[in-house]
Amino acid sequence: MSPLEFYEITEEKLNQLATIYEIENLEEYYELTDYNIKMPTSNYKDLSQVFAQLAFHGQNGAQIGNTVNFNANIVALDNELCKFNPGEFLKAYNLTEINKGNKEDNQIRIEDASETLSQRLCEALHREDAKQLLPRYAKTLLYSAIYVHSFNNKQDIIEDLKKNYLKENYKDAKKLIDYFREQIPAGFGVALACDFLKEFDKSFDLPKPDTHLKNTLNAIGINCEEEYEYINEMKNLTENINKSLKDEEKLTVYKFDRMIYLVCSQNFFLDKKDRNSIKKIYW
C-alpha cells in the first residue's frame, strides 16, 4: 500500500464515521484542541494555561485519566491547584524557591509535598481508592509547576522548548522530547510528552505514538522498536503523501495523526455522542 492509498483509505473511513455520528465540522479537530472553547484549558491565560495543559495531559497515563478525569473535575482541580497559578501553587507547598536548593534537598521536599498533595487530591476528587495512583500524578503536578514558574510568560516556554528542536533535522524530535522529560521527570512518557507538545504550539508538529498509531502503522507493514521511530515514520508518511496533494490540501503530521486517532477510537471528543450503539452498526 502506498502512502497516498493509506491516506485515502483513512480519509474515506473518517468521512463515513463523521456521517454516522453526525459530525458537522471535522476541521475543528485539526486545530490545537487545548485552545478550543469546548476544552477547560481554554479558560486560562499565559502561565496558568500552560500549567493547566500539563495537568490535563499528565493525567492521561494508564489508569490515571479515569481517576483524575480532568474535564469532569475541573472545578475541584481549579480549587486544589490554586486556579492553576504555578507560583501560588508552589507557595502553598513551600516550594517557591525550589530551584535554589541543592538537588538532593529538592528531591526530599518534592517527595514530602507529593504525599500531602496526593492525599488532598484523593479527598478533592472523592477517590480514596486511588491512593496508589495519585502520588505519581502529584509529582507530575509539582514538577510541572516548578518548570512553568521558572519563566516569565508562555512565549518564553515555547522558545525554551524550540531551542531543543533540531531544525537542521526536523524529522528527529528526540532531543526535544528528552529535554521536556528532563524538566518534568514524572508522569510523562514519550507518547504523553508528544501529546502535550503537539497541542502546546504549532511549532511542534508531532504525532502521538500511542497504541492507535502504532497498531495502525504495524498493520500497513511499518514496525518500529522505539516510539521515537514511529514519530519519524509518521513524518516520512506525511511528507510522501503531500507530494501527491495540492498546496491547499497538504497535511500536517498533527492532522494525519488526528485522523488516524479518530478512525481507530471513534472518540469525537469535541462532540458529545453515544459511541456504543453506533460502533456495533459501523463494525
Side-chain angles (χ1 to χ4, degrees):
M1 182 186 301
S2 71
L4 182 60
E5 289 172 329
F6 174 43
Y7 166 66
E8 290 173 340
I9 290 173
T10 303
E11 184 179 42
E12 179 184 2
K13 292 291 186 183
L14 181 56
N15 287 335
Q16 289 174 3
L17 284 169
T19 299
I20 292 171
Y21 285 108
E22 300 178 337
I23 305 300
E24 296 180 358
N25 181 20
L26 279 172
E27 289 302 315
E28 67 177 344
Y29 286 92
Y30 307 143
E31 297 295 330
L32 304 186
T33 49
D34 280 4
Y35 306 109
N36 188 294
I37 59 172
K38 297 176 183 178
M39 301 295 287
T41 46
S42 69
N43 295 323
Y44 299 92
K45 303 297 181 185
D46 207 43
L47 294 181
S48 292
Q49 185 173 57
V50 181
F51 185 26
Q53 288 176 273
L54 287 165
F56 171 70
H57 292 283
Q59 61 141 9
N60 287 329
Q63 301 182 59
I64 298 294
N66 291 333
T67 300
V68 176
N69 202 349
F70 186 92
N71 290 353
N73 289 315
I74 186 61
V75 174
L77 290 168
D78 179 88
N79 181 63
E80 199 59 48
L81 304 182
C82 304
K83 299 188 181 300
F84 293 98
N85 181 313
E88 291 301 314
F89 174 64
L90 292 175
K91 184 178 179 181
Y93 288 89
N94 196 30
L95 293 175
T96 306
E97 303 298 320
I98 190 71
N99 285 322
K100 297 181 180 180
N102 62 60
K103 188 173 181 180
E104 184 176 344
D105 178 60
N106 285 347
Q107 191 66 38
I108 294 172
R109 292 172 65 190
I110 291 171
E111 288 286 344
D112 290 343
S114 69
E115 290 182 16
T116 303
L117 176 57
S118 63
Q119 181 56 48
R120 290 181 62 91
L121 287 171
C122 282
E123 296 170 1
L125 300 175
H126 305 291
R127 290 300 304 266
E128 289 295 326
D129 60 326
K131 290 182 178 180
Q132 300 302 314
L133 294 174
L134 284 173
R136 184 180 68 174
Y137 184 60
K139 288 182 183 178
T140 300
L141 293 172
L142 292 166
Y143 279 114
S144 295
I146 290 167
Y147 175 64
V148 173
H149 187 56
S150 67
F151 296 92
N152 293 320
N153 54 60
K154 177 180 178 179
Q155 188 59 40
D156 286 349
I157 298 176
I158 293 172
E159 295 304 320
D160 179 64
L161 293 169
K162 284 169 69 174
K163 290 176 188 176
N164 294 276
Y165 198 28
L166 296 181
K167 289 298 183 182
E168 66 274 15
N169 180 7
Y170 77 96
K171 294 178 182 178
D172 185 2
K174 188 175 187 299
K175 183 179 178 183
L176 168 65
I177 296 165
D178 287 350
Y179 173 75
F180 173 79
R181 295 179 68 202
E182 286 172 5
Q183 309 316 303
I184 306 174
F188 282 94
V190 173
L192 287 188
C194 288
D195 195 33
F196 167 76
L197 291 164
K198 73 183 181 66
E199 297 292 350
F200 184 47
D201 189 77
K202 289 183 178 180
S203 301
F204 312 116
D205 188 23
L206 301 167
K208 178 185 178 183
D210 60 6
T211 300
H212 298 300
L213 181 64
K214 291 189 286 188
N215 287 348
T216 299
L217 294 187
N218 291 165
I220 64 170
I222 299 175
N223 296 282
C224 304
E225 293 184 2
E226 295 185 2
E227 290 173 304
Y228 294 113
E229 295 178 50
Y230 285 101
I231 297 170
N232 287 348
E233 290 294 343
M234 271 294 286
K235 287 181 174 285
N236 288 336
L237 272 174
T238 304
E239 186 178 79
N240 285 323
I241 291 166
N242 281 337
K243 291 176 181 177
S244 302
L245 299 180
K246 298 177 182 178
D247 287 346
E248 63 271 19
E249 298 174 339
K250 291 191 185 303
L251 294 168
T252 59
V253 174
Y254 179 100
K255 179 177 179 178
F256 194 34
D257 174 68
R258 179 57 54 79
M259 292 173 70
I260 293 171
Y261 171 78
L262 291 174
V263 170
C264 292
S265 70
Q266 299 184 40
N267 179 18
F268 294 90
F269 53 90
L270 295 176
D271 296 88
K272 303 302 182 184
K273 304 290 183 180
D274 179 8
R275 290 184 288 160
N276 294 329
S277 59
I278 298 177
K279 220 169 189 180
K280 295 176 184 177
I281 296 172
Y282 183 70
W283 293 114

